[in-house]
């Protein structure tokens, strides 16, 4: 029986890059996106029988429907929860709609997708769930407090899910990838946004292919989560030992990022 893979938020960016790679690995890919037209275009580009579906990941039941669609095409073996949104600004300035949206997409969408994937995989021989978190899950990110909080939730959920899967003896792996800033439209669109200065404070952004390579390796490894690049994770963790010093350093980085945004 052919294997299938689901990638959410795959109409462009990292999701599309994952979908391409999974198709190259021999999976029949289900591409989902809130923009149904983008999902269909991506599926045509990928080829190999890929299917594009409109999906709003905030709809919990939609994940079960996607899982059923994937199972109808083959044995569901990979599910990548990639869909996400980002808002920038001071922690007290987010609107009610922004708070609800980012929690529903970045957290509820990942949890619902993971649950739907596990429910399907446990009856058909197992598989792997990859959740796209972020380096921001590991340290304070002024200006991106909501985004960082949701990614910390994704990381915590994934490690707990892995524990549940092991306890149950299920042949399913849960993994979380925590990349640094990636050169995607979600980031470049914030080039002049003061609240997003931290996105532009570090080294050169990662390219999508580097993220995909790391994600593919992680799915096949015993490691539960991985930071990309690894050295950034070490620095982020070091800040936990001296929070006051870490926050001062992060404040300085935010200023650097803002100068890069303004070219001053």
């Amino acid at each position: 029986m052919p294997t299938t893979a689901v990638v959410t938020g795959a109409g462009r960016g990292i999701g599309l890059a994952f979908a391409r790679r999974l198709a190259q690995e021999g999976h029949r890919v289900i591409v989902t996106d809130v923009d149904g037209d983008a999902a269909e275009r991506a599926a045509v580009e990928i080829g190999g029988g890929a299917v594009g579906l409109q999906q709003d990941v905030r709809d919990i039941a939609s994940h079960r429907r996607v899982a059923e669609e994937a199972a109808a095409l083959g044995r569901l073996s990979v599910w990548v929860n990639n869909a996400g949104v980002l808002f920038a600004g001071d922690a007290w300035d987010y609107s009610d709609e922004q708070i609800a949206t980012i929690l529903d997409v970045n957290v509820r969408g990942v949890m619902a997708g993971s649950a739907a994937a596990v429910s399907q995989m446990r009856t058909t021989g197992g598989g792997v769930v990859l959740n796209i978190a972020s380096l921001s899950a590991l340290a304070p990110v002024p200006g991106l407090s909501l985004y960082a909080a949701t990614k910390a939730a994704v990381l915590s959920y994934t490690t707990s899910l892995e524990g549940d899967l092991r306890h149950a003896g299920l042949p399913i792996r849960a993994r979380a990838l925590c990349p640094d800033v990636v050169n995607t439209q979600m980031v470049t669109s914030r080039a002049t946004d003061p609240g997003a200065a931290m996105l532009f404070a570090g080294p050169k952004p990662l390219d999508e292919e580097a993220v995909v390579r790391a994600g593919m390796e992680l799915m096949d490894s015993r490691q539960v989560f991985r930071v990309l690049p690894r050295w950034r994770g070490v620095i982020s963790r070091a800040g936990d030992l001296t929070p006051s010093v870490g926050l001062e350093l992060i404040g300085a980085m935010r200023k650097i990022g803002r100068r890069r945004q303004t070219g001053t």
Side-chain angles (χ1 to χ4, degrees), residues 86-94 98 140-148 186-187 189-201 250 253-255 257-259 261-262:
L86 180 150
F87 300 120
D90 290 324
W92 54 88
D93 279 340
Y94 293 106
Q98 287 176 318
V141 191
L144 300 174
S145 58
L146 283 186
Y147 182 77
M186 187 169 74
V187 171
S189 66
R190 301 286 177 178
T192 61
D193 186 344
M198 283 295 291
L199 294 176
F200 305 93
I250 288 169
M253 290 179 64
R254 189 179 187 181
K255 291 178 181 178
R258 186 58 186 150
R259 286 200 295 271
Q261 284 179 311
T262 60

Side-chain angles (χ1 to χ4, degrees), residues 86-110:
L86 180 150
F87 300 120
D90 290 324
W92 54 88
D93 279 340
Y94 293 106
S95 68
D96 294 351
E97 181 179 2
Q98 287 176 318
I99 293 172
T101 296
I102 200 167
L103 287 172
D104 286 348
V105 173
N106 292 11
V107 181
R108 186 162 71 174
V110 168

Side-chain angles (χ1 to χ4, degrees), residues 2-191:
T3 57
T4 58
V6 171
V7 186
T8 69
R12 64 184 183 190
I14 296 172
L16 177 55
F18 265 110
R20 286 197 201 100
R21 178 63 179 273
L22 287 165
Q24 292 168 1
E25 294 285 323
H27 301 283
R28 188 168 183 186
V29 180
I30 310 293
V31 174
T32 85
D33 201 282
V34 69
D35 182 344
D37 291 339
E40 291 180 4
R41 288 194 299 270
V44 170
E45 176 191 329
I46 293 166
V51 176
L53 299 176
Q54 192 281 332
Q55 182 197 20
D56 185 338
V57 296
R58 294 174 292 183
D59 178 0
I60 293 177
S62 73
H63 296 273
R64 293 192 291 271
R65 292 193 294 269
V66 171
E68 290 169 359
E69 180 80 16
L73 297 174
R75 183 177 68 81
L76 178 60
S77 61
V78 179
W79 187 295
V80 181
N81 284 306
N82 166 76
V85 295
L86 180 150
F87 300 120
D90 290 324
W92 54 88
D93 279 340
Y94 293 106
S95 68
D96 294 351
E97 181 179 2
Q98 287 176 318
I99 293 172
T101 296
I102 200 167
L103 287 172
D104 286 348
V105 173
N106 292 11
V107 181
R108 186 162 71 174
V110 168
M111 293 178 176
S114 298
V118 170
S119 294
Q120 187 60 241
M121 291 175 181
R122 67 182 300 182
T123 65
T124 55
V128 59
V129 177
L130 176 65
N131 294 327
I132 306 304
S134 168
L135 176 66
S136 66
L138 304 177
V141 191
L144 300 174
S145 58
L146 283 186
Y147 182 77
T150 62
K151 293 304 183 179
V154 168
L155 178 56
S156 177
Y157 172 77
T158 305
T159 55
S160 297
L161 172 60
E162 173 67 12
D164 285 344
L165 292 168
R166 292 185 183 186
H167 179 74
L170 293 174
I172 303 170
R173 302 180 301 281
R175 301 290 185 262
L177 185 64
C178 301
D180 199 354
V181 178
V182 185
N183 188 29
T184 62
Q185 190 273 337
M186 187 169 74
V187 171
T188 58
S189 66
R190 301 286 177 178

